[in-house]
Amino acid sequence: MDILFFSLLTNLLYYCSGRIFISENNSNFYNQFYTYFLGFIVISFSALFLNFFTKLSPLINSLIYLGILVLFIIKSKFKIKKNDFLFLFLSTLATFSLIIFSNVNRPDAGLYHLPYVSILNESKIIFGINNIHFRFGHTSILQYTSAINNNYLFKENGISIPLGSIVSFFYIYFLQDIFKVIRKKDTINVSNIFSLFILIYISYKITRYSSFGNDAVPHLTLFYLISYILKNNFESINFNKVFLISVFIFINKTTLGLVFIIPGVIFFLKKKLLSKDLIKLFYSFPSIFLFFWLIKNLVISGCLIFPAKISCVESFSWTNKELIINAYKESQAWSKGWPDRKNKNITMSRFNKNFNWIHAWSNKHLKYILKIIVPYFIILAIITFYMRKFLYVSHKKSKELDKRIYLSIIASSIGVLSFFLIFPIYRYGYSFIITLITLIFILFLKNITFSKKVGLFSFIFFMSILLFSLKQIQKVYNNYENNRWPNIYTLNEEGVINKYKSLKINNKFKYFQPDSGDGLCMYSKAPCTNYAINKEIKFENFYGYSLLKIN
């Protein structure tokens, strides 16, 4: 029951945090979701900001959470509406279902997700920490949200909760959007249809906690962003909200960075690039959040966006140019099917160029992608045909709606193109692919007025809940003898925890390496790396900060 109780308290804290920064007390469903979502973002930013000055220890984290509760009580007098309790109950139940008897993401959690969380819990920001483990440059804001959830009450198990929480918020958002149609409180429109199609995909592919890693959240957030764009006309779209959502997507997954096309176009259409609006944009919360994230990247790796060489400051003593070049080259090659190449003599650089990778990529990655999207494509085609054939009532054009649809299509199309050309591994860009497919079918349904028949929506709604429930029940059945909490200490099937050896740089900076077991750092003493580090790395005390520089 501790998972259920801690999930409840964590989600309550996200609600309290969100309410502190939302002035209106409107408890309609969309505001409920955004309150929890914003609360999650605010706590994430707090963790990021604090780590510039202190470690995210259980003491610090407990004080931050206590402060949030005090501010919430002062502002709201601890008044929570009935509908807010319902969202809290449903999200807690979903979070609990996702976490119990699950495992962490393999192998990335053991390689760098959990080791980075342990660094955050044990140390303030370290200059050049990327030099002992290049994957630390690939971490997301989720590692900070996890780290700040390690407090005196939850202890280390708390770091497993935020990922389940945020995913559960998105589940409820898309389910509730469909439920409104079923209850006939909403007409069938483009945004409802988009939610219906996305709900099908979520039920099909995004239901296992162990598969989420750093990927599920940014992709779900992109789906939410498109839903918001389709649901509101340009006049009522809140630019700061769109910008904040886009920033959150980017700091979770830099490969989705082209999402900024959407707020960029909206800003131009709404603000006309007036100087005063640009100044307000520069000092807005999303801009500040993005600024601190980029500075964090610069501090730990020497690059604003690791490993994009163009974003790196080579004059910094901790910027490892060779590491940056190799990391970019290797990441690109592996995503293009490097292990499956036929020509074993080809270099990585040559493999990455002139589509020399197409054959290797198509033999594995393309087949995997088609295995997922072909069934999804067929299901959407059948549903689209059914809706036009049996639910069609009348047709009325809307140029304003067309603009929002085509903006979303253009952004997702560019995203798909960049995904294919640069890092064409499915988990790096599937939200662009799924969004584009979904919007293509929506083109056949836009501007159509449908009858009030909601049998299709009811069927998909209940089937989605059934599929989610069955997958969680199957997980519990298969893992009933394992730990109830995700095992953050080892991936060993028998639960054998690794041993670690202590090493030093300059006889001053201590770090650790796995010395047995599965060879992964997991959540252990920090900093930890499973790589032999470059002997040219030197330690320096830099105004009270640890600095790992390259001679």
Side-chain angles (χ1 to χ4, degrees):
M1 294 299 290
D2 52 344
I3 297 179
L4 184 65
F5 180 60
F6 292 164
S7 296
L8 172 66
L9 291 181
T10 299
N11 292 351
L12 177 61
L13 281 163
Y14 294 143
Y15 168 79
C16 295
S17 178
R19 276 289 305 275
I20 291 171
F21 293 93
I22 293 179
S23 56
E24 68 270 17
N25 192 23
N26 189 336
S27 62
N28 73 50
F29 159 68
Y30 300 109
N31 281 344
Q32 286 172 359
F33 167 82
Y34 191 67
T35 299
Y36 282 85
F37 180 64
L38 179 62
F40 188 95
I41 291 177
V42 168
I43 288 177
S44 301
F45 173 76
S46 301
L48 173 66
F49 178 78
L50 285 169
N51 192 240
F52 278 92
F53 309 102
T54 182
K55 61 183 177 180
L56 300 177
S57 66
L59 173 61
I60 295 295
N61 300 341
S62 299
L63 291 174
I64 293 300
Y65 278 2
L66 181 61
I68 289 171
L69 289 174
V70 170
L71 289 173
F72 170 72
I73 292 171
I74 291 174
K75 180 178 180 180
S76 67
K77 306 297 188 294
F78 213 79
K79 293 180 180 178
I80 305 178
K81 292 191 174 182
K82 178 181 176 181
N83 288 341
D84 294 329
F85 270 120
L86 179 61
F87 195 102
L88 178 63
F89 170 76
L90 293 175
S91 64
T92 299
L93 191 61
T95 303
F96 167 78
S97 300
L98 286 169
I99 292 175
I100 190 167
F101 292 113
S102 291
N103 209 332
V104 295
N105 182 257
R106 295 171 178 259
D108 288 354
L111 280 171
Y112 68 99
H113 297 172
L114 292 170
Y116 195 76
V117 172
S118 63
I119 291 174
L120 298 176
N121 285 150
E122 294 187 20
S123 175
K124 63 183 176 182
I125 195 167
I126 300 173
F127 285 72
I129 189 62
N130 208 50
N131 287 324
I132 72 168
H133 196 325
F134 77 93
R135 284 187 171 89
F136 289 156
H138 297 304
T139 51
S140 83
I141 193 63
L142 287 173
Q143 274 68 71
Y144 288 82
T145 325
S146 295
I148 203 172
N149 217 45
N150 177 2
N151 53 52
Y152 284 141
L153 179 60
F154 304 160
K155 299 184 179 179
E156 293 175 356
N157 281 330
I159 69 175
S160 300
I161 299 175
L163 178 58
S165 295
I166 187 66
V167 170
S168 74
F169 298 161
F170 288 114
Y171 283 170
I172 296 169
Y173 173 85
F174 288 108
L175 281 168
Q176 180 66 19
D177 206 30
I178 303 307
F179 189 64
K180 287 184 67 178
V181 175
I182 296 173
R183 294 185 64 188
K184 299 182 180 180
K185 288 191 173 183
D186 206 352
T187 57
I188 300 175
N189 54 45
V190 164
S191 66
N192 299 134
I193 297 170
F194 179 80
S195 292
L196 185 75
F197 289 171
I198 293 301
L199 185 60
I200 292 171
Y201 182 79
I202 292 174
S203 305
Y204 172 43
K205 284 299 295 178
I206 314 179
T207 55
R208 290 190 304 114
Y209 179 92
S210 61
S211 69
F212 293 162
N214 284 345
D215 302 316
V217 171
H219 293 304
L220 287 167
T221 310
L222 180 59
F223 294 149
Y224 165 61
L225 174 62
I226 300 300
S227 171
Y228 178 77
I229 298 298
L230 296 178
K231 200 174 293 293
N232 299 275
N233 58 47
F234 276 120
E235 289 301 317
S236 60
I237 285 176
N238 184 321
F239 170 77
N240 282 334
K241 187 173 181 177
V242 171
F243 187 30
L244 179 60
I245 296 170
S246 302
V247 168
F248 186 70
I249 293 170
F250 174 74
I251 63 179
N252 275 289
K253 203 76 177 173
T254 56
T255 54
L256 299 180
L258 285 170
V259 70
F260 285 117
I261 292 172
I262 295 175
V265 171
I266 291 174
F267 184 84
F268 177 78
L269 293 175
K270 290 177 69 72
K271 306 294 185 179
K272 306 300 183 185
L273 296 180
L274 296 176
S275 58
K276 63 177 182 180
D277 292 321
L278 285 172
I279 293 173
K280 289 180 181 178
L281 174 64
F282 183 77
Y283 289 107
S284 67
F285 174 62
S287 294
I288 294 171
F289 199 173
L290 180 60
F291 171 79
F292 274 99
W293 181 258
L294 294 176
I295 294 300
K296 182 273 301 181
N297 290 344
L298 204 60
V299 169
I300 69 171
S301 69
C303 304
L304 293 171
I305 304 173
F306 181 85
K309 186 179 178 182
I310 193 174
S311 72
C312 303
V313 181
E314 296 185 5
S315 60
F316 288 161
S317 62
W318 62 91
T319 303
N320 191 331
K321 292 177 283 186
E322 182 180 355
L323 177 69
I324 292 163
I325 293 170
N326 288 336
Y328 183 82
K329 184 166 55 179
E330 289 179 13
S331 298
Q332 195 174 44
W334 279 78
S335 69
K336 291 178 176 179
W338 171 255
D340 305 300
R341 69 196 184 283
K342 280 190 175 182
N343 182 2
K344 300 299 181 180
N345 295 320
I346 192 172
T347 64
M348 274 191 178
S349 297
R350 187 180 173 193
F351 177 80
N352 288 333
K353 296 177 181 178
N354 301 323
F355 295 100
N356 292 322
W357 50 271
I358 282 291
H359 185 268
W361 177 80
S362 59
N363 280 337
K364 183 176 180 180
H365 292 294
L366 179 59
K367 288 180 180 178
Y368 178 79
I369 293 172
L370 292 176
K371 185 179 178 181
I372 295 172
I373 66 172
V374 168
Y376 182 67
F377 187 93
I378 293 172
I379 291 171
L380 264 54
I382 294 171
I383 293 174
T384 301
F385 172 79
Y386 174 83
M387 294 185 75
R388 285 185 63 88
K389 181 74 173 178
F390 299 105
L391 301 184
Y392 177 94
V393 175
S394 62
H395 187 276
K396 184 179 180 181
K397 290 185 177 182
S398 172
K399 292 183 179 180
E400 202 276 342
L401 175 61
D402 287 349
K403 289 180 182 178
R404 287 181 279 130
I405 293 175
Y406 287 120
L407 168 61
S408 302
I409 287 177
I410 291 169
S412 56
S413 298
I414 296 174
V416 170
L417 181 62
S418 69
F419 153 80
F420 176 73
L421 294 176
I422 305 173
F423 294 109
I425 189 170
Y426 185 69
R427 66 186 182 90
Y428 284 0
Y430 69 75
S431 55
F432 281 137
I433 299 172
I434 296 303
T435 297
L436 180 60
I437 292 173
T438 301
L439 292 173
I440 288 172
F441 281 104
I442 282 178
L443 287 177
F444 294 96
L445 301 171
K446 68 182 180 71
N447 306 322
I448 293 178
T449 302
F450 295 97
S451 66
K452 287 290 184 178
K453 297 177 183 179
V454 293
L456 175 66
F457 283 75
S458 299
F459 175 76
I460 293 175
F461 177 84
F462 289 110
M463 282 300 297
S464 298
I465 294 176
L466 179 62
L467 284 173
F468 174 83
S469 302
L470 288 175
K471 288 184 178 181
Q472 306 315 313
I473 291 170
Q474 181 186 33
K475 173 196 64 179
V476 172
Y477 178 79
N478 292 336
N479 299 281
Y480 190 73
E481 295 181 356
N482 297 337
N483 294 331
R484 289 175 292 109
W485 286 94
N487 195 330
I488 60 176
Y489 306 107
T490 181
L491 294 182
N492 186 284
E493 296 295 338
E494 297 178 358
V496 178
I497 297 178
N498 301 336
K499 293 181 180 179
Y500 300 88
K501 60 183 178 182
S502 173
L503 301 168
K504 286 187 177 181
I505 299 175
N506 289 17
N507 291 319
K508 295 179 180 179
F509 183 84
K510 183 186 290 187
Y511 69 98
F512 300 88
Q513 283 187 334
D515 199 29
S516 65
D518 53 32
L520 299 175
C521 286
M522 304 297 291
Y523 188 86
S524 61
K525 293 181 180 179
C528 178
T529 176
N530 58 308
Y531 294 107
I533 70 168
N534 190 327
K535 292 182 180 180
E536 294 183 1
I537 296 175
K538 301 298 179 183
F539 167 78
E540 181 180 309
N541 188 303
F542 182 67
Y543 296 100
Y545 288 85
S546 295
L547 187 155
L548 302 176
K549 63 180 182 178
I550 296 292
N551 281 354

